[in-house]
Amino acid sequence: MLPTATIGPYTLPNSLIVAPMAGVTDRPFRLLCRRMGAGLAVSEMVIADSKLWHTRKSRTRMNHDGEPEPRSVQIAGGDPDMLANAARLNAESGAQIIDINMGCPAKKVCNKAAGSALMKDEALVRDILEAVVASVDIPVTLKMRTGWDRDHRNAPLIARMAEDAGIKALAVHGRTRADAYKGEAEYDTIAAVKEQVSIPVFANGDICSAEKAHQVLRHTGADGLLIGRGAQGRPWIFREIQHFLETGEHLAEPPVEEVEAILLEHLDALHDFYGMPMGVRIARKHVGWYLQSHDEDKLFRKRFNAIDDPLEQAESIQQYFASIRNGEVFAA
């Protein structure tokens, strides 16, 4: 059975959350995943330094027009005062949940003592948590990893610290900072975190099927799941997981006509949201994810990546799916 989850005053429609992913979980993707069954979608991380918010990247990341409540915004940085100010400003701009990033392993983030690098400095973590919670009157959540490296899995300690500071929910990725995305996620540490705190805990890492979602929930006892890479090119994974957890049965793969419609809708939303030329460029990686298990020789994607016109992109997708309906088998 799919557990319910509450974050502060918000009871989510379900406990399946779109994990924040830089360059992926923009507004078009968040809206699509919510429509496909996600209970919440967290924004791409916004840098804490508000002096940098004038850039186009920051403006698009902070655009939440038309999004259903609650709207969750992730902030990243290493200075307590700067993060507190970022939380305040985002709350004033319509954020209803603030999520602190201590999970990103990217070097360009960690080299600035942000993301998962923060887990190495537990005193700084405490200062950040207390400062951000005190700065806003909306729920603050925390996303982290299991630890700095495999010899220092301090997530249970930081989880207790977070609950004491007033954090309303935790998401834990089953890898350390040193692991980056290598190897397989481990869930024992997430289970240990769940045992240590009474606030909701969401498990994250390598959840790419309904069966895996069921296994992770059973193993960890988590209150819900944070799904990232498993949703890239498969936004319908949320309804698949929900159906399996509620019925024990697999939902049929979406028919080729629906996949085409979803992809065309996604392309149109990206073109509209970003304009030219960014919309066309960003569409390319999403098309690659949608087709990665079918267009194995990548011949179509190579042709698609050379297209610079929105209408031509849409027409090429329609032609591609027409060829599939004319005899090929689609395996999304």
Side-chain angles (χ1 to χ4, degrees):
M1 187 67 180
L2 187 65
T4 57
T6 300
I7 300 176
Y10 301 106
T11 298
L12 305 183
N14 62 61
S15 58
L16 304 177
I17 299 178
V18 185
M21 295 177 284
V24 181
T25 51
D26 52 21
R27 192 186 73 187
F29 189 73
R30 295 194 300 271
L31 287 171
L32 176 58
C33 289
R34 288 294 296 264
R35 190 169 66 76
M36 301 302 294
L40 179 69
V42 185
S43 76
E44 303 172 85
M45 67 179 181
V46 176
I47 194 70
D49 188 351
S50 60
K51 293 194 296 292
L52 303 177
W53 290 357
H54 66 280
T55 65
R56 179 170 180 166
K57 178 185 286 188
S58 290
R59 289 199 306 272
T60 55
R61 288 187 175 188
M62 297 172 71
N63 187 323
H64 301 273
D65 294 346
E67 283 195 71
E69 297 184 351
R71 294 179 295 275
S72 178
V73 174
Q74 187 181 76
I75 58 175
D79 179 83
D81 292 336
M82 195 174 285
L83 281 159
N85 185 57
R88 236 182 342 261
L89 292 174
N90 274 285
E92 291 170 2
S93 298
Q96 294 166 306
I97 299 172
I98 295 294
D99 184 60
I100 302 173
N101 182 319
M102 292 188 190
C104 181
K107 289 182 179 178
K108 66 180 180 180
V109 175
C110 288
N111 286 346
K112 296 178 181 178
S116 52
L118 292 170
M119 297 186 72
K120 202 171 185 179
D121 188 339
E122 293 163 0
L124 178 58
V125 167
R126 185 186 301 277
D127 289 344
I128 286 172
L129 298 175
E130 291 177 349
V132 174
V133 169
S135 71
V136 292
D137 57 4
I138 60 175
V140 179
T141 59
L142 172 66
K143 184 175 189 291
M144 62 179 173
R145 291 202 157 214
T146 55
W148 174 253
D149 58 31
R150 296 185 184 185
D151 294 324
H152 301 90
R153 288 193 169 111
N154 60 345
L157 172 63
I158 290 178
R160 294 194 302 272
M161 188 185 300
E163 185 172 32
D164 290 343
I167 294 294
K168 298 302 183 185
L170 298 167
V172 186
H173 182 99
R175 290 180 174 87
T176 69
R177 156 68 185 98
D179 288 330
Y181 293 102
K182 301 187 296 290
E184 296 182 358
E186 62 90 10
Y187 306 105
D188 290 343
T189 305
I190 302 177
V193 168
K194 177 58 185 170
E195 290 179 355
Q196 294 286 328
V197 296
S198 59
I199 57 177
V201 174
F202 296 88
N204 176 231
D206 295 353
I207 301 167
C208 54
S209 69
E211 294 99 329
K212 188 63 175 286
H214 181 251
Q215 292 167 7
V216 171
L217 282 173
R218 288 190 62 184
H219 186 90
T220 62
D223 300 277
L225 302 171
L226 213 67
I227 299 167
R229 290 177 294 169
Q232 292 176 351
R234 289 184 59 87
W236 50 85
I237 191 174
F238 298 98
R239 72 183 186 192
E240 290 179 341
I241 292 172
Q242 185 170 10
H243 184 82
F244 185 79
L245 293 177
E246 291 179 346
T247 68
E249 299 176 353
H250 288 283
L251 194 64
E253 286 284 336
V256 62
E257 292 82 6
E258 185 183 14
V259 175
E260 178 184 10
I262 291 169
L263 179 47
L264 287 172
E265 174 194 338
H266 196 172
L267 284 186
D268 186 59
L270 290 170
H271 295 153
D272 182 64
F273 185 66
Y274 288 103
M276 281 288 288
M278 289 302 299
V280 165
R281 293 175 185 169
I282 291 170
R284 292 169 184 160
K285 64 182 175 185
H286 285 280
V287 168
W289 289 325
Y290 277 96
L291 304 182
Q292 63 186 345
S293 61
H294 180 257
D295 180 33
E296 294 181 2
D297 57 11
K298 298 185 180 180
L299 292 179
F300 172 77
R301 276 176 282 176
K302 289 176 182 175
R303 292 196 298 271
F304 185 86
N305 289 345
I307 298 173
D308 292 321
D309 179 75
L311 288 177
E312 193 177 343
Q313 278 192 335
E315 289 171 358
S316 69
I317 292 295
Q318 291 171 325
Q319 293 166 4
Y320 179 80
F321 280 91
S323 70
I324 291 172
R325 286 191 290 271
N326 289 334
E328 297 181 35
V329 177
F330 185 79

